[in-house]
Amino acid sequence: MTNLPKPIRENLHFLCAEIDGQLGQLEAFFAEPTVATARRIMDRAGYAHNLKTRIHAACVRRLAATGKDNRAHLTLRSLEFIATDLQRLANLARQSLRHVERIESFETLVPARYPAIVQRVRQGVARIEEAFFKNDSERAIGIGQLQDKIETDYRKLFRIYTREMRNPDVLPADIANSLLVASEFQRMGESLKSISEAVISANIGQAVNFERYFALQSLMSDMEGNGGDLKVETIAETRSGSSISAIRHGKTQAVAAVFKDGEKSKVKEERQGVKSWHSIYPGLAPKILSYRKRDQSAALLIEHLPGLTFEHIVLSESDTLCETALACLAATLKDIWKQTRTSEPAELGSMQQLAKRLGSVRRVHPEFKDTRIRFAGEVLPSFDALIAEAAAREAKVPAPFSVYIHGDFNVDNIIFDPGEKRIHFIDLHRSRYMDYVQDVSVFMVSNYRLQVLDLETRQRIMNVSQSFFKSARAFARKQGDETFEYRLALGLARSFASSTRFIFDKSHARRMWLRARYLIEQAVACPPGGEAGFRLQMKEIFVD
């Protein structure tokens, strides 16, 4: 545990004591309701708020002085969360009293049931300091588990109140306010769980929720045979909500494995994708060391693959290494495509994909709203109208064959091992048989959207995209895929436009949006039946 200043420790102690005191008054109120008891609780709002504010201010000052010590940052941030949720308990207690005040018949509330619930909350508050300052994760888990008991208490009260709705002698308003009182206590349980997660995060040096902690503990127990202390550090968080962490040996700092968790369906897809690649093209995907599921979440322990991401290579490594990695990637893809080719035609459906993502794009960039454009006295079709027209054209031009694709072929999902000169793929939950143009277009645009502005790097990005395009086009011609460039134009348009939802820079996003429109206009302008003769002006598209 970070060596916290004495004022922070003292203020947390005072805040826990203050909240326990207010909860004690609340417990007494339900046992014997009096105006005086209620007033004592209502009048203490300012003190809890001041203590929380002092803790926050002290943590902010401490954060500014900790440099880049991630463990210290996490401890201080966890302490802020704990203080916030402690004050929230006091707020919920006062809010419950406001609902009680509106109940005409106090017996409708069944007040005898509430002291036991308040005692559960007090038990949680009493465990916080020891769990936090003594790194006692078992005690922290106990705090979180109180939520389940409070939730059970809430459901019993809910059934009582809803049953009383059929009683003509009970005022509907009393039932409504009783339900609101019970709801405030349900939220107290949620606050205890949040406090539990904050304490656990501080103790293990890794931001976790309850489900993630149990999955992490379970999977790390599978690695006990490796010996030595194991430490966890976050290395990425995906847009789908999954978290990715490196598990390192405490002494050597070598990465022993990669831990990935998230929504059960997503993790299950990842696991299935890895298994599929092992059967289809062995050696490309990492090995799954262990798998656990709990409720609606799941986690994987994955083999750590040596090497560098393609993103890192493009942005930070030498031209020679970049060229070597690109050549290895092109050769690997051609081999995969040849080995997995089936005669089943594949519809890319890029315009349908784009249409579904327009809402997300426009929430980030409302300036891309669908309006008609006037230029030189002419009214140009709206973006949405172009997509609809292009979708109809695209449906008539399927790929002549299918191959097994990555499905999310961004530059940070490709790893190159310079020592072995081998390519590896990660993040495989979208892998399937499909038009290979999907991967080609995603890779090219994921290079372009890298947010670097210096001319030398932008030139390298353009060269990578041009070389990759030429390699994919050469494969298409050898396979007799005559409409490759036409489908690629629409695939690139989809990737350019949909990727703007990840780009905050307005000028960069606008350049991508305009490229998408240009490509769709070119595809629509191509005479029906002439798709095999369509040619992409790749230099114009990728130059800045």
Side-chain angles (χ1 to χ4, degrees), residues 15-16 129 179 182 198 289 304 367 407 477 485 513:
L15 182 56
C16 288
E129 289 184 86
L179 284 166
L289 305 177
H304 170 64
E367 65 273 20
R477 288 176 175 173
E485 291 191 51
W513 186 259

Side-chain angles (χ1 to χ4, degrees), residues 240-252:
S240 63
S242 297
S243 294
I244 304 173
S245 301
I247 299 178
R248 296 183 182 275
H249 289 291
K251 293 182 179 179
T252 65

